[in-house]
Amino acid sequence: MKTFLIILFGAAFLNQKAYSQKYKPVLEPYPGLVKADPRLVLKTGYLVVPENRSKPAGRKVKIPFLFVRRPDQDARKNISLYTTGGPGYSTTRNIDSIGYDSRWLAYGGFIAFDQRGTKRAQPCLDCTEVAAAIKCSYREGKNKDSLVSQAVTDCRNRFAKQGVDLSAFNTIESAEDINDLRLALNVDSLNLVGISYSGGLMLTMVRNHPEGVRALLLNSPLPGYVNFEEHALFNINEALEQVFHNCETDSSDTKYKDLRMKFHQYFSSITGKKFTIAYQEKGSDKTANLTYSKNELLDAIIGRMNSRQVSTIPAVAIDLIEGRHDKYIQEVFDGYFAGNLSVSLGMRYSVYCSEQISYDDPTLEAQQHLVLPWLAGYPFNDVNHVICNCWKVKAEPAIAKQPVYSTVPALISAGDVDPDCRPFYNRLIKRYMPNSQLLIIHNRGHAPGFSVDGTDYVKLFFENPYRKLTSQSKNLIIE
């Protein structure tokens, strides 16, 4: 085992060294990317690097970034870099302007960096065929899985004809993108800010380029080295357990008595059943009878497992159990038919298929459905084995599934009703990082942030990243 680890880490080091010797990252201007106070020092552009770093003379990718600071802030030190989650979402697309007193600049200069393959990047791996297939499946009562599979295949073929190497859109390459941007901007080291998937991306950066990382802020991070598909239903169930516990301890309303038992019994009993709703699509004067199942009802529950709506879940659950579906199913279908215009599904497929599905044990994944019958059959992700069989990308190297050992100081945030990235994952990260601290925030869902009841724990952390923080609220546990 010792010899294996030496070989594994040695190979990773040699690959990084080879990358740096064969190409030079280039910055190109991207005017008009964002509006900023004229007093600020702003640089916007594309990072231009090889699509596949093992083929440095081949195709290039262009990835948008913005770098902003106040004139009195150092251009090389105390710089924070933020990439949004997903995978498949754009970071810069969510920032339209930056004021002089922006919270982004509270601790020094700030970089917003997109993931390769997302909106504004070149190429952008959008798969518009998929949303159209989903709508068609409901409108015409056709099998959704088969239509989506064909749409994914069509999208892949389109990119293949363009010469795009879909296997190059992965976490390891994205971590190299971050380090290349750091070097091109002449930044000493970075405070890396990650959320959900990009929390795992930042951990990959720590593993491969520790010299470029000063500190970590991880908001509901998903470490790449867990097998999410084998845990996903357990994650949802654990979050639901927190909701049921809240009902037992916080509510005196008798209608919520035994909600856990009622929920389990009802959702187990309707497995395989079909329901119909007379649905009118927004913007249309026509009504169509659409078929739905337990899965759409669970969407109505799980979609509310966030900081803003978690308190409504018990009442919604009672309505569904007692057959009052229409209001909630209308909302779910409105979401389906509106589509998600923010995500570049091709990038999402490449990352999930190479990093998660390739290492998933289908037997273990299936066992979740047996032991959690109230969640059995629920499609917890929009990426699965069938889609990955159509997308056909290579698995990431085995190093991607190894825990990240590091002494870099880290502040990790978890919500106790997060149905995706449970505190279990956050504790796993902390286990291998002795200078990390974990905030577990009560009644917050995915991406709970770092402020609790008026206290900003990022501020306290940056004052001394190695000092042990203490909770100032009954709604926060710090581990």
Side-chain angles (χ1 to χ4, degrees), residues 413-446:
S413 178
D416 70 357
V417 292
D418 185 343
D420 301 311
C421 300
R422 298 294 302 154
F424 163 72
Y425 289 159
N426 308 145
R427 290 187 174 109
L428 197 60
I429 295 169
K430 185 178 184 296
R431 178 183 178 92
Y432 304 108
M433 301 183 71
N435 292 319
S436 62
Q437 301 186 65
L438 171 59
L439 312 179
I440 301 178
I441 309 175
H442 182 51
N443 269 349
R444 290 208 191 160
H446 198 54

Side-chain angles (χ1 to χ4, degrees), residues 30 33-34 43-49 53 61-67 80-96 110-125 169-171 173-182 185 192-193 195 197-198 201-202 342-344 347 351:
Y30 190 152
L33 178 64
V34 68
K43 185 180 184 68
T44 61
Y46 288 107
L47 173 73
V48 184
V49 291
R53 285 177 169 84
V61 293
K62 294 185 177 184
I63 313 166
F65 73 91
L66 66 88
F67 180 18
S80 297
L81 181 145
Y82 169 63
T83 294
T84 195
Y89 290 92
S90 167
T91 310
T92 64
R93 201 164 179 246
N94 295 319
I95 304 173
D96 56 7
F110 170 72
I111 298 170
F113 190 36
D114 281 336
Q115 301 164 34
R116 55 169 52 202
T118 59
K119 308 286 185 181
R120 293 182 169 175
Q122 299 178 19
C124 169
L125 302 186
F169 292 79
N170 60 53
T171 301
E173 291 282 3
S174 290
E176 293 299 322
D177 294 337
I178 292 173
N179 194 58
D180 279 347
L181 181 64
R182 177 185 73 87
L185 293 173
L192 294 178
V193 185
I195 180 172
Y197 159 73
S198 70
L201 170 58
M202 299 315 179
S342 299
V343 67
S344 297
M347 173 57 176
V351 172

